[in-house]
Amino acid sequence: VAVTFAALQAQHDDALVINLAGRQRMLSQQMALQALGVQIGADPAYRQALHTTAHDYFEKTLNALIAGGPAPYTDGTTVTLPPAPNPEILAQLETVRATWREMHAAIMSVLEEDPQSAAFAEAVTTVERLSPVMLAQMDETVRLYEAEAARKVAWVQSIQIGFLAVATVLLAAALALSERWVLAPIA
C-alpha cells in the first residue's frame, strides 16, 4: 500500500514536470509572436508581455527544470520542482538552455533596440528562427520526461505484481497448513 501511495505522489510530480515542460514549448512560440507584435507596433503591451514571458516564465521555469526550485504560473502560484532526474534529461535541458541564451540575447535586442534599426530586424529574425528549434528541443524534453515517468510506472507495477505473488503464495501456504494442522485433526 505504501508503495502505491508513493507511486501516486511520484506520478503527480511527474505530471507536473511534464506539464511545465510542455508549457515551455508553448512559451517559445508565444515569444516569437510577441516579438512580431513588437516589430509591427500593433500594441505597446507586446513589449511588456515579451519581457514577462521571457524572464518571469520561460527562464525561471527552465532553471527550475534543470536545477530544481520555484517555477511560476501565470495565475501567481508557484510550484517547487526537483532537479532534473537523470543525465539524459539534464543534457537535453542544457541543449535548450544553450539555444535559450541565443534567443534571450535576441529578445533583449528586440526590447532595447529602435524598431526601425537593422539590429532590431535581425533580432526579430533570430527569435523567429530559434522558436521552432526550441519547440523541437522541448518536444524531445517532454518525450524524455514521459519515458522516465513510464519507466517509474513499470517499476512500481512490477513491485506490486511481486507483492501480489508473495501474498498469493503465503495465502496458499496458510490454507494448506491450516488444513493439515487445524482441520485434519478436528476431522
Side-chain angles (χ1 to χ4, degrees):
V1 174
V3 171
T4 300
F5 284 120
L8 288 174
Q9 181 60 45
Q11 287 176 341
H12 173 269
D13 295 345
D14 289 342
L16 174 68
V17 172
I18 291 167
N19 179 24
L20 286 170
R23 183 183 76 165
Q24 295 296 89
R25 297 176 65 255
M26 178 200 66
L27 292 176
S28 67
Q29 294 173 314
Q30 186 175 337
M31 287 183 289
L33 291 174
Q34 290 166 338
L36 290 172
V38 171
Q39 182 180 34
I40 62 173
D43 184 350
Y46 278 115
R47 188 174 295 278
Q48 181 58 42
L50 177 58
H51 181 273
T52 300
T53 302
H55 296 98
D56 292 347
Y57 300 116
F58 191 89
E59 187 166 28
K60 286 181 181 178
T61 301
L62 180 60
N63 289 335
L65 287 169
I66 292 170
Y73 278 103
T74 56
D75 66 0
T77 61
T78 300
V79 295
T80 302
L81 302 178
N86 72 40
E88 187 178 17
I89 292 173
L90 182 59
Q92 181 61 30
L93 287 168
E94 289 296 344
T95 300
V96 173
R97 188 190 309 220
T99 304
W100 169 243
R101 286 185 184 120
E102 187 179 351
M103 187 164 181
H104 183 259
I107 287 171
M108 293 307 296
S109 292
V110 167
L111 294 172
E112 295 170 358
E113 297 290 336
D114 174 15
Q116 305 305 317
S117 72
F120 180 90
E122 183 181 329
V124 170
T125 301
T126 301
V127 171
E128 287 179 302
R129 175 180 57 81
L130 291 177
S131 177
V133 172
M134 286 182 60
L135 178 68
Q137 290 172 343
M138 287 312 302
D139 278 342
E140 178 62 14
T141 304
V142 168
R143 186 194 69 73
L144 291 171
Y145 273 119
E146 288 173 343
E148 178 74 13
R151 278 192 295 276
K152 288 178 187 177
V153 168
W155 179 76
V156 168
Q157 285 175 339
S158 66
I159 288 175
Q160 289 173 329
I161 290 169
F163 282 139
L164 185 59
V166 168
T168 302
V169 168
L170 290 175
L171 180 61
L175 288 174
L177 291 175
S178 66
E179 170 68 28
R180 173 187 272 169
W181 292 342
V182 177
L183 297 178
I186 292 174

